[in-house]
Amino acid sequence: MYRACKEVILRTTGAVSAAFSTVNMPAKKVCIVGSGNWGSSIAKIIGHNVKGSNRFNPMVSMWVYEEMIEGRKLTEIINTEHENIKYLPGHKLPKNVVAVPHITEAVKGANVLIFVVPHQFIGKLCDQMKPHITEGTIGISLIKGVDEGPDGLKLISDIIREKLEMEVSVLMGANIANEVADEKFCETTIGAKNEANGQIFKELLQTPNFRITVVPESDTVELCGALKNIVAVGAGFCDGLGFGDNTKAAVIRLGLMEMVAFARLFCTGVVSSGTFLESCGVADLITTCYGGRNRRVAEAFVKTSKSISELEAEMLNGQKLQGPQTSAEVFKLLKKKNMIDKFPLFVAVYQICFEGRAVEEFITCLQNHPEHI
């Protein structure tokens, strides 16, 4: 009886102490690094969530690449009208989200960083941020892309982790930005090697209509987010060529096969099939192949014969397409490993986008695809 009572007292005391320490810990200051379509949608969620939390500072800074919109600075428009009229028009941002034009000023004092910029800019941004990062800062990357390092594949989270010397999680899922901003129900996946950090980000980002699952396979989650954009370009080629839903279903299935095989080749940790059944995997792949910008631009590429860069300028309002660029990075890695013939879909997307291969030949990568990789 004594031992049982003692255990109850210790458990109760521990719980009270934990709750008391959480309440009295300094509130974490959040900075969103990026303010495009997806970054602004996430800012809408974060701005609302921090208001009702003891864990986070109620003011959120958002780094905005300064642009002039009809003679006015974009940061000024966001801070006075509380709307990103260029990248997320029609959606009000919470007033506690403050647009900051200088990255060094935006990250000052922040200990939770949300990275959501095109992946080709992350290295330079980290170099600028480095002198202003405080010890114990944690980050989460929403960036979908990969890079080539001296030893092979380089994940965007690895670049952030090494340059800023911080623990970095990732968030990937079937999350079309405008639908998230409209508060339509969806799911997403956080990959967190540090479980406690994963729960912090879940608290910061989850809403009733933005449901989050946290898994430990961070690298696999991140690769899914990058590779599915290549497959989506292939799906767009199918639409542009008028191949129909059966062909697109084959693109999705074969693309998923290549995603799994690529992850198992290039990830150093465990790669389980279950992670591909999370929102970051098959759900994101399906969504992107039917509704994403990579699919739309690839379809226009076929129908207009314009270059990818021309279509980016016309269709994406200044934003960059991730699928073609990721296919280029993946192709370099596959060539270095002498494995080009093992990934015909990934390779065909690269060759059509950058080497002048006829888009009509895309069907051959499906017809001749190996049954197993």
Side-chain angles (χ1 to χ4, degrees):
M1 175 67 75
Y2 169 76
R3 184 178 298 169
C5 291
K6 183 178 180 181
E7 286 178 358
V8 170
I9 291 168
L10 287 172
R11 284 200 301 269
T12 305
T13 304
V16 171
S17 297
F20 183 82
S21 62
T22 299
V23 170
N24 288 275
M25 283 173 62
K28 296 180 183 294
K29 187 176 187 300
V30 179
C31 172
I32 303 167
V33 181
S35 58
N37 186 234
W38 187 211
S40 297
S41 299
I42 285 297
K44 187 177 175 183
I45 289 175
I46 291 174
H48 286 302
N49 280 0
V50 297
K51 291 178 186 176
S53 171
N54 290 323
R55 191 191 292 270
F56 304 105
N57 187 303
M59 299 304 295
V60 176
S61 59
M62 178 172 72
W63 175 68
V64 175
Y65 178 77
E66 192 69 281
E67 300 177 67
M68 298 302 293
I69 311 293
E70 298 181 355
R72 298 176 65 194
K73 293 179 178 179
L74 182 55
T75 52
E76 176 194 336
I77 295 170
I78 292 173
N79 288 334
T80 55
E81 299 178 17
H82 307 291
E83 180 181 350
N84 189 334
I85 62 171
K86 181 168 185 180
Y87 297 114
L88 195 66
H91 290 276
K92 289 295 182 183
L93 299 178
K95 293 180 180 179
N96 58 324
V97 175
V98 179
V100 182
H102 303 293
I103 186 64
T104 53
E105 186 65 29
V107 301
K108 192 175 294 182
N111 34 37
V112 176
L113 300 177
I114 316 296
F115 295 91
V116 54
V117 293
H119 79 270
Q120 52 267 45
F121 303 134
I122 192 64
K124 183 179 178 181
L125 276 172
C126 285
D127 290 339
Q128 293 175 288
M129 295 163 60
K130 173 63 177 172
H132 307 277
I133 300 299
T134 57
E135 187 177 353
T137 298
I138 60 174
I140 187 166
S141 172
L142 282 61
I143 302 170
K144 297 179 176 179
V146 292
D147 204 351
E148 183 191 16
D151 302 317
L153 181 74
K154 193 81 168 177
L155 297 173
I156 302 305
S157 64
D158 287 336
I159 295 173
I160 300 169
R161 193 174 289 114
E162 291 171 12
K163 283 184 173 287
L164 300 183
E165 299 178 18
M166 66 167 64
E167 180 60 40
V168 183
S169 303
V170 298
L171 181 147
M172 307 284 156
N175 310 138
I176 293 175
N178 284 64
E179 293 186 13
V180 173
D182 286 335
E183 299 181 30
K184 295 177 179 177
F185 179 82
C186 68
E187 298 178 310
T188 198
T189 310
I190 287 178
K193 295 176 182 179
N194 182 304
E195 185 180 353
N197 289 350
Q199 293 305 318
I200 290 172
F201 288 119
K202 182 172 182 174
E203 180 182 335
L204 177 64
L205 292 161
Q206 182 162 264
T207 74
N209 286 323
F210 192 64
R211 190 171 74 174
I212 294 172
T213 301
V214 181
V215 301
E217 289 180 31
S218 178
D219 292 352
T220 305
V221 170
E222 186 169 1
L223 265 182
C224 283
L227 298 176
K228 57 92 183 181
N229 284 328
I230 305 177
V231 186
V233 173
F237 291 160
C238 284
D239 290 341
L241 294 164
F243 284 158
D245 286 338
N246 289 343
T247 308
K248 188 187 280 192
V251 169
I252 292 171
R253 189 188 76 81
L254 296 172
L256 182 61
M257 278 178 57
E258 293 193 15
M259 287 169 60
V260 174
F262 190 91
R264 288 180 173 158
L265 275 172
F266 290 96
C267 283
T268 54
V270 175
V271 177
S272 63
S273 299
T275 302
F276 292 90
L277 298 178
E278 297 290 348
S279 181
C280 63
V282 66
D284 196 10
L285 180 60
I286 292 169
T287 298
T288 310
C289 286
Y290 277 92
R293 68 181 69 167
N294 287 278
R295 188 216 63 80
R296 286 191 294 109
V297 174
E299 180 181 16
F301 176 85
V302 178
K303 291 182 174 180
T304 66
S305 299
K306 294 180 180 179
S307 69
I308 293 293
S309 58
E310 287 176 309
L311 292 167
E312 283 178 334
E314 289 179 15
M315 300 176 66
L316 299 184
N317 201 21
Q319 297 186 98
K320 292 294 183 183
L321 203 64
Q322 297 301 312
Q325 185 61 40
T326 303
S327 77
E329 302 296 347
V330 165
F331 181 80
K332 291 176 194 173
L333 294 164
L334 294 175
K335 188 174 181 179
K336 187 178 289 185
K337 294 274 190 180
N338 197 27
M339 300 194 73
I340 287 176
D341 60 328
K342 300 287 187 182
F343 295 84
L345 193 151
F346 287 175
V347 170
V349 168
Y350 164 75
Q351 291 174 335
I352 291 167
C353 289
F354 296 104
E355 293 190 346
R357 182 177 178 180
V359 71
E360 291 78 12
E361 293 182 17
F362 181 66
I363 192 69
T364 62
C365 84
L366 309 179
Q367 295 168 334
N368 301 322
H369 202 285
E371 292 183 15
H372 305 286
I373 301 177

